[in-house]
Amino acid sequence: MFCGIVGFTGKNYQSAPILLKGLQKLEYRGYDSAGLFVSDQALGTDQLVKENGRVSELEKLVSSKNVTGNAGIAHTRWATHGVPSVNNAHPHVSADGRFYLVHNGVIENYIELKENYLKNVEFHSDTDTEVAVQLIDKFVKDGLTTFEALKKLISLLDNNSAYGFLLMDREEPERMYVAKQKSPLLIGIGSDFNVVTSDAVAMLDQTHDFIELHDGEIAIVDPDNVQLFAANGDAISREAFHLDIDATETDKGAYPFYMLKEIDEQPVVIRQLISRYLPKDGQPQIGEGIVKDMLAADRIYIIAAGTSYHAGLVGARLFERWAGIPTEVHVSSEFAYEQPLLSEKPFFIFLSQSGETADSREVLQNINAQGFKSLTLTNVEKSTLWREATYALPLLAGPEIAVASTKAYVAQVTLQAILAYALADREQLHLNLEQELSKIAIAIQGIIDDKEQLQEVAKNLLVESPNAFFIGRGIDSTVVLEAALKLKEISYVQTEGFAAGELKHGTLALIEEDTPVIAIMTQPRLAGLVRGNLAETQARGSKTYTIVTQKIATEEDDLVLPDVNELLTPLVSVVPAQLLAYYTSLERGLDVDHPRNLAKSVTVQ
Ligand code: F6R
């Protein structure tokens, strides 16, 4: 479901090391087994190697088997159909060993296909992918070419199915067949080689030039040629785009985990956004079309999932308070199937780090069909949500590798602030956003420079605790949701974040001796109320920790943050929460970057 794909074909290359390196770069997406198939045109040999567990285990196996060959396909699998095991790992192979297939996504009607077409075939795995490769084999035996067989396979998959297919045929040992539907795949262009990948990050050491494949399309990739075909089989052409990412941005350097590196990068991310979107005397530069269409809207609908949804909650307040446009925020998986009554002139904003979240895409496709305009804010240029929206703007956060999102949240809030500022009557607002954001970048740096104190807090307050609570009011009631998500997803401490006033309406029943309660308080008008709520938990034995801004700090408070514009405080107050989550996970001895059961990009619904 969250699997990774890489493929390589070149004339005078050894593909196995390139494929293994690609798989390592995809490890961050989450997986539980890995495998590759490599064929050697010169020797006329090929090898299939699969292993349960880490890519490093696969690497050991590959070197012990002396795998050689100039073309190959490889995969990291996150189990959906069938347990993690060598048999269920990809590539899957057809009964007579002619076809090898790796697949991202889910074939919803695979049991029906198996029953209709493959009654007498012996299967070696529990996967939907093996059904696909056996079908190709069957169709070729029935007289189709490999290309036609792939086309026929695709035509049989039901509408809910998602696939990124990468196929090799032993009779054409240098050629890769590619197809995709709802699951990202890119073709990377080299001088005397070509690659295929589900994530550009995996192949940046080879090339920065990629052709995107659209849903329903098929490609044939040879060492010196790429052919694209529309779903009906007609040849089409598409220019490659150049991806301007430094390959070293995807290395973690001296950092123990990507998450810490990405937290540390947040001040730089804000500065990048300032220089791109507020370049001239702090006047916003985001494109006339976007401003015009947003100003013409009577309501903004922000659509997102998880951390991006939390960033949207902040954005909604910015659009309402600064730009005076009523704004709603919706979880994409709900909006997709329960569309609320819309205003007359809605404008949609999609927030997505990856640009591939299937739930959000479902909404985008629905609203496109209704003819509404949209803007995607994403970290991945040319991603699906980027391509399919009316407008798109990059978050400029650089590749985010840790599963737990940090810098993308900061980038999403910052860019929404810039947008709201662009729409606002700036004379009335009395705010120099460029200066304010620069101040915020410095404030974040201050927290990062002092991060060891948060390691101590994590040790004393959270590491041994089965549960924890974050509370806040006003704008802080949004950031506590993100704080709770961060802590629970990487430390497995069961955590809730909620509006402090809600405590008395139920959750107070969970407070016991030593239950950690962390309050985020940034606004003077609400601080007294939150302090009252905190006292109620203390009376029941809680251990409390307060994160406050300077202007409301007292001697008793634990962490004091510099004062910044009230609606922008989440940019600062989220950082100690990210660090508390990081250190709790670290102190619990967990794999911070790869929390169990989760993956970076959720491309199925
Ligand atoms: C949590 C996290 C997820 C994502 C969510 C949406 O740390 O990363 O909650 O925010 O899966 O993903 P994107 O932003 O890629 O659409």
Side-chain angles (χ1 to χ4, degrees):
M1 151 152 97
F2 312 113
C3 324
I5 285 179
V6 284
F8 180 93
T9 181
K11 283 284 173 206
N12 295 306
Y13 288 88
Q14 281 304 333
S15 62
I18 296 171
L19 294 172
L20 285 166
K21 193 146 185 225
L23 291 186
Q24 277 159 7
K25 297 268 185 188
L26 291 176
E27 284 193 290
Y28 78 97
R29 303 178 72 93
Y31 70 103
D32 37 49
S33 58
L36 54 73
F37 169 75
V38 166
S39 83
D40 196 317
Q41 164 92 347
L43 298 178
T45 58
D46 51 46
Q47 268 166 295
L48 172 70
V49 190
K50 307 203 278 191
E51 186 58 298
N52 210 8
R54 295 269 155 208
V55 172
S56 53
E57 299 300 318
L58 177 72
E59 199 171 1
K60 278 188 216 146
L61 205 58
V62 166
S63 47
S64 74
K65 287 177 185 275
N66 189 28
V67 174
T68 65
N70 59 314
I73 56 178
H75 190 261
T76 45
R77 170 175 188 258
W78 194 94
T80 54
H81 295 89
V83 295
S85 69
V86 172
N87 276 359
N88 287 337
H90 300 211
H92 285 283
V93 55
S94 59
D96 62 358
R98 174 167 166 185
F99 295 100
Y100 290 79
L101 179 69
V102 296
H103 165 216
N104 283 358
V106 177
I107 299 171
E108 297 286 351
N109 57 334
Y110 78 106
I111 293 179
E112 189 189 315
L113 291 173
K114 197 170 164 180
E115 277 164 12
N116 288 352
Y117 292 91
L118 302 167
K119 271 234 148 64
N120 301 321
V121 178
E122 193 190 334
F123 279 81
H124 301 282
S125 78
D126 311 313
T127 64
D128 48 347
T129 308
E130 192 183 355
V131 173
V133 76
Q134 300 286 18
L135 278 172
I136 289 172
D137 188 45
K138 176 188 165 19
F139 298 148
V140 169
K141 288 207 172 89
D142 289 347
L144 298 186
T145 63
T146 304
F147 178 77
E148 288 163 352
L150 180 59
K151 232 174 91 198
K152 174 155 183 189
L153 165 70
I154 289 165
S155 71
L156 294 174
L157 306 182
D158 73 4
N159 280 343
N160 293 329
S161 295
Y163 58 81
F165 285 137
L166 183 56
L167 173 78
M168 285 188 83
D169 175 354
R170 284 177 93 184
E171 296 195 357
E172 301 169 284
E174 291 185 329
R175 172 166 279 190
M176 297 186 286
Y177 290 88
V178 194
K180 82 138 239 167
Q181 173 79 22
K182 297 188 199 166
S183 182
L185 270 186
L186 295 166
I187 298 165
I189 309 298
S191 47
D192 54 354
F193 66 87
N194 289 307
V195 306
V196 175
T197 181
S198 55
D199 184 338
V201 158
M203 282 289 159
L204 287 178
D205 285 338
Q206 316 307 326
T207 180
H208 282 63
D209 295 316
F210 294 93
I211 297 176
E212 76 233 45
L213 210 57
H214 295 178
D215 279 356
E217 292 176 353
I218 302 178
I220 298 180
V221 180
D222 296 311
D224 49 7
N225 193 26
V226 173
Q227 301 170 69
L228 287 190
F229 302 91
N232 64 4
D234 288 352
I236 50 173
S237 67
R238 183 168 301 131
E239 289 292 302
F241 65 92
H242 186 77
L243 201 59
D244 217 1
I245 300 179
D246 182 350
T248 57
E249 282 184 52
T250 61
D251 291 336
K252 60 175 188 265
Y255 285 91
F257 287 100
Y258 279 106
M259 184 178 177
L260 192 60
K261 172 176 182 266
E262 289 161 6
I263 291 172
D264 273 13
E265 285 168 352
Q266 293 179 122
V268 176
V269 171
I270 293 182
R271 291 194 185 100
Q272 308 243 77
L273 288 164
I274 296 175
S275 62
R276 169 77 169 262
Y277 295 109
L278 293 169
K280 274 196 247 144
D281 310 326
Q283 292 306 311
Q285 302 259 311
I286 55 165
E288 274 174 31
I290 297 175
V291 173
K292 202 171 122 264
D293 282 341
M294 289 188 78
L295 286 176
D298 61 358
R299 188 169 285 259
I300 296 171
Y301 293 82
I302 299 176
I303 310 291
T307 290
S308 298
Y309 169 73
H310 297 153
L313 294 173
V314 183
R317 290 172 197 236
L318 290 162
F319 290 117
E320 293 208 334
R321 299 262 293 276
W322 290 4
I325 306 176
T327 305
E328 294 177 17
V329 195
H330 291 268
V331 168
S332 50
S333 55
E334 284 302 310
F335 195 100
Y337 303 101
E338 291 276 343
Q339 183 172 301
L341 275 183
L342 299 179
S343 65
E344 270 178 30
K345 286 184 272 168
F347 185 90
F348 285 82
I349 296 181
F350 289 83
L351 296 178
S352 177
Q353 191 286 130
S354 63
E356 298 294 347
T357 300
D359 293 318
S360 301
R361 187 193 184 194
E362 185 71 26
V363 180
L364 179 52
Q365 287 187 323
N366 293 347
I367 67 114
N368 278 345
Q370 294 166 73
F372 298 129
K373 295 214 168 142
S374 57
L375 163 67
T376 292
L377 307 184
T378 178
N379 209 20
V380 183
E381 294 187 33
K382 308 283 179 189
S383 56
T384 307
L385 291 171
W386 171 289
R387 283 199 319 266
E388 294 182 354
T390 321
Y391 304 103
L393 293 173
L395 292 171
L396 306 179
E400 192 181 66
I401 307 286
V403 165
S405 184
T406 52
K407 60 181 179 171
Y409 171 89
V410 160
Q412 284 168 342
V413 173
T414 306
L415 188 47
Q416 288 177 101
I418 295 171
L419 270 173
Y421 188 68
L423 304 176
D425 177 345
R426 290 191 287 284
E427 286 197 357
Q428 292 289 316
L429 204 57
H430 302 297
L431 170 72
N432 180 327
L433 187 59
E434 185 199 356
Q435 274 174 15
E436 199 60 26
L437 288 173
S438 305
K439 209 163 96 186
I440 286 168
I442 293 167
I444 296 177
Q445 192 61 56
I447 301 166
I448 290 168
D449 291 346
D450 250 354
K451 56 180 174 267
E452 279 70 26
Q453 57 165 318
L454 289 160
Q455 184 160 15
E456 287 309 305
V457 179
K459 271 194 222 166
N460 299 330
L461 190 68
L462 298 169
V463 172
E464 302 293 335
S465 183
N467 58 0
F469 298 91
F470 281 89
I471 59 170
R473 285 177 184 248
I475 194 75
D476 303 325
S477 71
T478 69
V479 81
V480 293
L481 299 179
E482 177 56 10
L485 177 60
K486 255 350 41 127
L487 184 59
K488 74 178 100 168
E489 71 176 323
I490 58 168
S491 74
Y492 318 147
V493 173
Q494 184 153 14
T495 315
E496 268 189 65
F498 53 91
E502 281 290 285
L503 252 181
K504 284 200 278 288
H505 301 288
T507 315
L508 202 56
L510 296 175
I511 305 296
E512 296 178 336
E513 200 60 33
D514 288 344
T515 303
V517 179
I518 300 172
I520 298 183
M521 292 178 273
T522 62
Q523 297 143 93
R525 70 191 167 93
L526 298 171
L529 287 169
V530 184
R531 289 194 194 282
N533 300 137
L534 209 54
E536 288 155 11
T537 72
Q538 276 163 332
R540 276 121 192 126
S542 71
K543 278 206 282 191
T544 61
Y545 185 77
T546 55
I547 299 172
V548 301
T549 43
Q550 186 76 54
K551 59 186 165 204
I552 53 175
T554 68
E555 294 261 295
E556 270 79 60
D557 284 313
D558 298 300
L559 184 70
V560 180
L561 310 173
D563 289 319
V564 300
N565 178 286
E566 268 191 20
L567 288 184
L568 298 177
T569 54
L571 289 172
V572 184
S573 60
V574 77
V575 181
Q578 294 168 340
L579 286 162
L580 284 175
Y582 173 80
Y583 285 121
T584 306
S585 177
L586 191 74
E587 292 292 334
R588 285 187 154 205
L590 299 170
D591 184 347
V592 179
D593 287 338
H594 304 115
R596 67 185 177 205
N597 309 338
L598 296 179
K600 188 66 188 158
S601 170
V602 185
T603 51
V604 294
Q605 289 173 47

